[in-house]
Amino acid sequence: MKYRLRSIFSSIQGEGRHTGRPATFIRFAGCNLNCPWCDTHKHTREMLTISEIMAKVGKLGNRTVVVTGGEPTVVIGLKDLLQALKKGGYWLALETNGTRNIPEIEMFDYVAVSPKYFYRSRYAEETMVRKADEVRIVAEDEVMVGFCRQMRARITASDYFISPLDEQGKIHYRRAFNLMLRLNAKPKTGGEAPWPPWALSIQTHKVLGLK
Ligand code: SF4
């Protein structure tokens, strides 16, 4: 069987807790959502077998492998590929939109969930992922405070991040910063500010001009 891929490449993890860590990215084509600003999942560039993927990953030489997309949880045959990568001794991280809580998620060493405000109704469904290592939400809008709080209540994680939206190369840093400030403010109705606080996650790989 062959997997539909956008690309396999070496870079650094640009976002979240492992920012700066050298890694190989397996980027699948295809997604179950269709966010208006995204075209990363739409183009298949390669159709590869497991052994072809393993050969490419081996050549790139990083021990960290980030499985991303597109949306990896919709990939048919994901379990077989993960088994091969685990056998190869790789440390596996998943990046998912969090709408599909499939058993294969347990095979990853690290899970980053990135819920999408544009598809907020999907995150009321019971099939969503409820546990992760980090939650990273793109600031699609400054007024999405309620959505972020709801996601924090629904997904147990150690870290919660806000990332700027990249709209065809225009990166909305200030919007992300303002949203983060709003989320960390002490509620007017009483109670404590969130702990750990929401943190800003800038796409470092883009700052460096990397993939
Ligand atoms: S969930 Fe991610 S890959 Fe899928 S359409 Fe949205 S931004 Fe693109």
Side-chain angles (χ1 to χ4, degrees):
M1 113 163 236
K2 293 202 173 196
Y3 294 81
R4 279 179 58 210
L5 291 150
R6 172 123 175 138
S7 55
I8 297 177
F9 59 94
S10 176
S11 185
I12 57 161
Q13 173 54 275
E15 298 183 78
R17 197 195 300 168
H18 295 291
T19 294
R21 185 195 272 220
T24 292
F25 290 77
I26 299 178
R27 173 160 284 170
F28 287 109
C31 183
N32 59 333
L33 304 184
N34 191 14
C35 302
W37 67 88
C38 169
D39 69 351
T40 58
H41 66 293
K42 289 176 185 152
H43 310 286
T44 304
R45 295 255 166 85
E46 296 174 290
M47 295 289 292
L48 298 178
T49 63
I50 288 186
S51 45
E52 287 165 339
I53 293 172
M54 293 302 291
K56 279 203 168 205
V57 170
K59 232 184 215 171
L60 291 169
N62 299 303
R63 202 174 144 204
T64 296
V65 172
V66 180
V67 179
T68 183
E71 175 51 43
T73 63
V74 300
V75 171
I76 293 166
L78 181 65
K79 188 175 175 184
D80 295 337
L81 176 60
L82 295 178
Q83 273 169 346
L85 288 163
K86 285 217 123 199
K87 216 167 143 199
Y90 295 102
W91 186 90
L92 297 180
L94 168 69
E95 300 198 330
T96 171
N97 62 33
T99 52
R100 302 188 77 242
N101 192 13
I102 61 168
E104 288 82 348
I105 290 180
E106 295 293 326
M107 297 172 76
F108 286 90
D109 298 293
Y110 194 84
V111 176
V113 174
S114 183
K116 301 293 181 280
Y117 179 61
F118 190 79
Y119 283 99
R120 48 200 174 277
S121 60
R122 300 290 298 268
Y123 295 92
E125 292 171 11
E126 280 317 304
T127 47
M128 72 172 276
V129 177
R130 301 296 293 270
K131 195 169 139 275
D133 293 287
E134 71 179 51
V135 172
R136 211 190 297 142
I137 302 180
V138 173
E140 295 167 47
D141 202 309
E142 238 176 82
V143 297
M144 47 190 274
V145 172
F147 175 73
C148 295
R149 289 195 179 132
Q150 191 190 21
M151 289 304 97
R152 187 160 177 153
R154 297 204 80 193
I155 309 171
T156 305
S158 311
D159 293 291
Y160 295 88
F161 295 99
I162 296 297
S163 305
L165 175 68
D166 182 346
E167 249 173 344
Q168 277 117 41
K170 182 168 169 35
I171 302 179
H172 298 272
Y173 293 110
R174 181 55 67 170
R175 184 192 292 172
F177 178 65
N178 289 343
L179 176 61
M180 183 205 66
L181 291 183
R182 283 186 186 201
L183 285 163
N184 286 328
K186 221 171 164 176
K188 287 192 180 112
T189 47
E192 293 303 314
W195 188 263
W198 289 86
L200 197 59
S201 173
I202 303 290
Q203 292 100 335
T204 318
H205 54 295
K206 292 185 184 170
V207 175
L208 290 167
L210 302 172
K211 253 193 190 181

